[in-house]
Amino acid sequence: MAAPTAYAARTAYSLIATDLDGTLLRGDDTFSDRSLDALARVASAGARHLVVTGRPAPRVRPLLDRLHSRGLAVCGQGAQLYDAGADRLLWSVTLDRELAETALGKIEAEVGQLYAAVDQDGVDGLTLIEPGYRMPHPTLPALRVDRRDDLWCEPISKVLLRHPTLSDDELASTARSVVGSLATVTMSGPGTVELQPCGITKATGLALAAEHLGLRPEDTVAFGDMPNDIPMFDWAARGVAMANAHPELKAVADEVTTSNEDDGVAVVLERLFP
């Protein structure tokens, strides 16, 4: 039998950072038994699992319960560091509402009418959607408001955008070209182009969480499926893209595993933690 490669034999990663939608989660918003078993291997080896997701903290809490996780989670594309055990935000950054409105106006001047939603800040923040906005993920709760001005009634962590005809790639590209330093533009899933505080990415949130845990980039392997995971891959020692990942993420990944429906995260973790 051929000797295993150095990488195949390596189990030195002590921080496993996973996206949720399209990565660790299946399309029906569940975790497979195989994925849960693989994460149990990680814990048994003394390594840490960290959720790093675009979902805001209130939408992550029930999923962390299913993972039996009482530790930290990076939420809101890196704008929130959530402590599940204490049910509180250790750190959060809000998007200035006037800047958000200005950015939205600049994009609409280029592409025509958009439909918008916002995630409010805080552990009990709501997702508000204006008339015409359709939630890309039907299992996520949202409250419809009467007019756009109602979106800005409370501090927000991000704005979600949809266009009636443009693709996500087209909308994100145009938004980046006109928004400048008003906000960071990300694409985090089908039908999900977002504005978040300038300079905030999954990597900034992951770095802060790792610092709290006493861990480093070289200790970390990250899993994801969309362009918003690129900063996380740049920060971590190794980036693993799902088979269903966006081509931009696959282009910068160190490895491509099977899809989220085929337990792609577990496939790699079983090799790293035999």
Side-chain angles (χ1 to χ4, degrees):
M1 178 183 295
T5 65
Y7 172 64
R10 177 174 179 169
T11 58
Y13 293 114
S14 49
L15 180 58
I16 311 302
T18 66
D19 174 47
L20 287 177
D21 295 286
T23 302
L24 188 62
L25 273 175
R26 297 185 293 193
D28 60 359
D29 250 19
T30 62
F31 302 106
S32 72
D33 289 340
R34 185 178 179 184
S35 292
L36 295 176
D37 288 344
L39 292 175
R41 289 192 191 200
V42 169
S44 295
R48 302 294 292 267
H49 171 229
L50 186 68
V51 164
V52 185
T53 177
R55 295 193 186 205
R59 309 295 170 257
V60 177
R61 186 191 293 127
L63 298 175
L64 295 176
D65 288 343
R66 280 188 250 162
L67 290 171
H68 306 292
S69 175
R70 308 304 297 164
L72 301 181
V74 177
C75 306
Q77 304 292 9
Q80 299 173 328
L81 183 59
Y82 175 62
D83 182 338
D87 190 28
R88 68 186 182 98
L89 293 176
L90 299 183
W91 180 81
S92 69
V93 180
T94 57
L95 176 59
D96 183 272
R97 285 167 279 180
E98 290 187 6
L99 292 182
E101 283 190 280
T102 301
L104 200 50
K106 285 180 172 289
I107 301 169
E108 286 190 315
E110 294 292 323
V111 303
Q113 183 179 10
L114 293 168
Y115 299 112
V118 300
D119 284 336
Q120 293 179 335
D121 190 41
V123 295
D124 295 312
L126 301 172
T127 298
L128 304 180
I129 59 178
E130 71 172 347
Y133 186 90
R134 181 171 56 85
M135 289 292 289
H137 206 307
T139 64
L140 295 178
L143 178 65
R144 191 171 298 279
V145 298
D146 294 329
R147 55 198 182 115
R148 180 171 291 179
D149 286 349
D150 295 332
L151 297 177
W152 323 117
C153 62
E154 298 288 344
I156 60 173
S157 60
K158 64 181 178 180
V159 180
L160 301 90
L161 308 175
R162 301 202 74 166
H163 191 275
T165 59
L166 291 180
S167 70
D168 297 333
D169 291 286
E170 291 169 331
L171 178 56
S173 177
T174 300
R176 291 189 187 102
S177 70
V178 300
V179 163
S181 61
L182 294 173
T184 296
V185 179
T186 62
M187 182 168 52
S188 61
T192 312
V193 175
E194 302 177 353
L195 306 178
Q196 59 203 70
C198 187
I200 295 298
T201 67
K202 283 190 173 185
T204 59
L206 176 55
L208 183 62
E211 183 180 353
H212 272 264
L213 297 171
L215 299 171
R216 307 162 298 168
E218 53 266 37
D219 301 322
T220 308
V221 57
F223 295 81
D225 73 308
M226 291 299 290
N228 64 321
D229 295 312
I230 291 175
M232 182 167 67
F233 279 24
D234 290 340
W235 184 87
R238 188 168 187 84
V240 182
M242 314 305 291
N244 50 286
H246 191 282
E248 288 183 18
L249 187 69
K250 287 183 177 179
V252 300
D254 297 296
E255 176 183 356
V256 177
T257 184
T258 57
S259 73
N260 63 317
E261 300 292 345
D262 295 318
D263 302 311
V265 172
V267 167
V268 176
L269 293 181
E270 287 165 358
R271 188 179 74 232
L272 294 179
F273 296 88

